[in-house]
Amino acid sequence: MIVNCMVYRPGQTGQELDVEKISDVISDPDAFIWMGLYQPEAEFMYKIQREFGLHDLAVEDALCAHQRPKIEQYGESMFIVVKTVSSENEHLHFGETHIFIGKNFLITLRHGASDSYSPIRERVAQNSDLLDHGPGYPLYCILDFIVDRYGEYTASLGDKINEMEAALFRSEFDNLAVKKVYRLRRELLSLRNAAQPLEEICQQLVRLHEDIVPKELRAYLRDVQDHARHVVTDAEDMREMLTSAMHVNLAMVAVQQNEVTKKLAGWGAILVIPTVIFSMYGMNFKDMPELNSPLGYPIALGGTIVGCFLLWLRLRKSGWL
């Protein structure tokens, strides 16, 4: 359950901290604790709640892995929920990261699909000047890491969308291609819904929580907000492109079917002429025109051929055949 637990002090890159010693460190105003958890059990989470003074509602939400992205303030601490994303076998999987943050602590709790935050810890350790501002800088690094994953996924979709468009810009209906487009549009919608709340989260952190995000870190949070806005825009544009490609494919299929229908109708009209004539001559009437004439059959046959040819010529010029 405990991925890592570190204590950071001014001028230091971080030291390992035993959970039993949290009470001794949490009272130090010059230090802050960063604890990383992965799907903790309820009993352990209640212990962490007592150590850090977390709110009951926030802990209750953190134990449930189906929360919407949000930011809530409980007293002197905040509770933040963001969606995480990872790609496996060309499919997108979503998880959640729940964040508890106060003046001297940062708790990250991961559920489901999520990459390791070890690179973030290394990045934090390399920027000791920004780290001296407290847990606000690791919070920025986490949000930036998550948004960068969103951006990497949208950037990788360019070639895939071009392939799907090539498969759809045909007059044949491809059931498999349509299913792929639908699945991708659903993933893009989920990605947009994950990135869009991050704009509001970053805006609130910059405007309302100066104690957590000091002036020196506001530009960094605005950069995360800008990246999230780009992800939302790209996801919406890609969904629109795929929707247009599907409509073009359906239109091309409809046009092709219409052409086939026109040809069938044209040949059906041509066949009406011999059908009518031969049906009339097949009746058992004694007195019929040219029934006893030697030229009756050749004239009827020739008239049928000429009529069919003239109708074929007419339909050919009109584009039906």
Side-chain angles (χ1 to χ4, degrees):
M1 293 181 292
I2 302 178
V3 178
N4 211 330
C5 185
M6 303 283 289
V7 57
Y8 297 88
R9 292 184 173 88
Q12 298 181 2
T13 58
Q15 297 177 342
E16 292 282 349
L17 177 66
D18 187 84
V19 178
E20 303 299 330
K21 297 181 180 180
I22 291 178
S23 301
D24 300 331
V25 178
I26 197 69
S27 58
D28 187 352
D30 296 327
F32 75 89
I33 299 172
W34 180 4
M35 174 179 287
L37 305 175
Y38 183 77
Q39 299 183 178
E41 296 178 356
E43 183 178 353
F44 177 79
M45 196 62 203
Y46 293 140
K47 178 181 178 181
I48 297 299
Q49 177 186 8
R50 293 190 295 270
E51 294 285 353
F52 291 95
L54 305 178
H55 197 276
D56 292 340
L57 293 177
V59 173
E60 181 181 348
D61 289 344
L63 290 173
C64 179
H66 301 285
Q67 299 294 322
R68 62 176 180 84
K70 63 179 179 178
I71 178 172
E72 300 284 352
Q73 184 168 7
Y74 297 99
E76 297 183 354
S77 64
M78 286 183 296
F79 177 62
I80 303 172
V81 179
V82 291
K83 293 286 186 180
T84 55
V85 61
S86 65
S87 181
E88 183 179 353
N89 298 326
E90 298 185 353
H91 293 287
L92 203 61
H93 300 277
F94 288 90
E96 295 178 12
T97 291
H98 299 177
I99 302 172
F100 297 91
I101 184 169
K103 293 182 180 180
N104 56 352
F105 67 87
L106 174 67
I107 303 173
T108 56
L109 192 156
R110 292 185 290 138
H111 287 282
S114 175
D115 295 328
S116 172
Y117 288 166
S118 297
I120 302 178
R121 295 182 182 276
E122 296 176 3
R123 177 182 176 183
V124 167
Q126 294 172 359
N127 294 274
S128 57
D129 293 340
L130 294 174
L131 191 60
D132 291 342
H133 294 295
Y137 179 65
L139 173 64
Y140 151 73
C141 292
I142 293 171
L143 298 179
D144 185 59
F145 180 81
I146 293 173
V147 173
D148 284 347
R149 288 294 179 270
Y150 295 164
E152 290 174 4
Y153 181 74
T154 54
S156 67
L157 291 180
D159 294 336
K160 185 182 294 186
I161 289 179
N162 290 335
E163 293 176 0
M164 290 184 175
E165 287 181 338
L168 290 174
F169 287 168
R170 297 182 301 178
S171 57
E172 295 85 7
F173 181 76
D174 191 339
N175 187 46
L176 181 60
V178 172
K179 288 182 178 179
K180 289 182 179 179
V181 169
Y182 176 77
R183 184 179 66 246
L184 184 57
R185 289 186 71 249
R186 184 175 59 184
E187 291 180 351
L188 285 170
L189 178 61
S190 299
L191 187 64
R192 184 189 70 86
N193 292 339
Q196 194 169 37
L198 270 174
E199 296 185 55
E200 178 64 24
I201 290 174
C202 292
Q203 185 176 5
Q204 286 196 33
L205 289 172
V206 170
R207 294 178 56 189
L208 305 177
H209 303 285
E210 188 175 354
D211 54 335
I212 302 297
V213 182
K215 185 177 180 180
E216 294 79 4
L217 297 179
R218 293 178 187 175
Y220 294 92
L221 268 298
R222 285 194 292 267
D223 182 67
V224 175
Q225 183 181 10
D226 183 63
H227 289 177
R229 186 178 297 112
H230 278 294
V231 171
V232 172
T233 302
D234 291 343
E236 290 178 345
D237 290 345
M238 290 179 180
R239 291 187 73 246
E240 184 65 27
M241 290 173 59
L242 292 173
T243 301
S244 300
M246 290 180 62
H247 290 167
V248 169
N249 176 254
L250 294 175
M252 294 177 67
V253 171
V255 169
Q256 179 66 19
Q257 291 176 346
N258 188 43
E259 290 297 322
V260 173
T261 303
K262 287 167 61 178
K263 290 181 180 181
L264 292 175
W267 285 111
I270 292 174
L271 292 176
V272 167
I273 297 176
T275 301
V276 172
I277 294 175
F278 297 156
S279 298
M280 182 177 63
Y281 274 89
M283 289 189 274
N284 295 321
F285 293 137
K286 181 177 180 180
D287 298 325
M288 292 186 66
E290 303 176 357
L291 188 61
N292 297 320
S293 173
L295 298 177
Y297 179 74
I299 291 174
L301 184 60
T304 301
I305 294 174
V306 170
C308 291
F309 175 76
L310 292 175
L311 183 56
W312 174 85
L313 190 63
R314 177 66 177 176
L315 294 174
R316 178 85 173 182
K317 289 182 178 180
S318 64
W320 279 59
L321 295 176

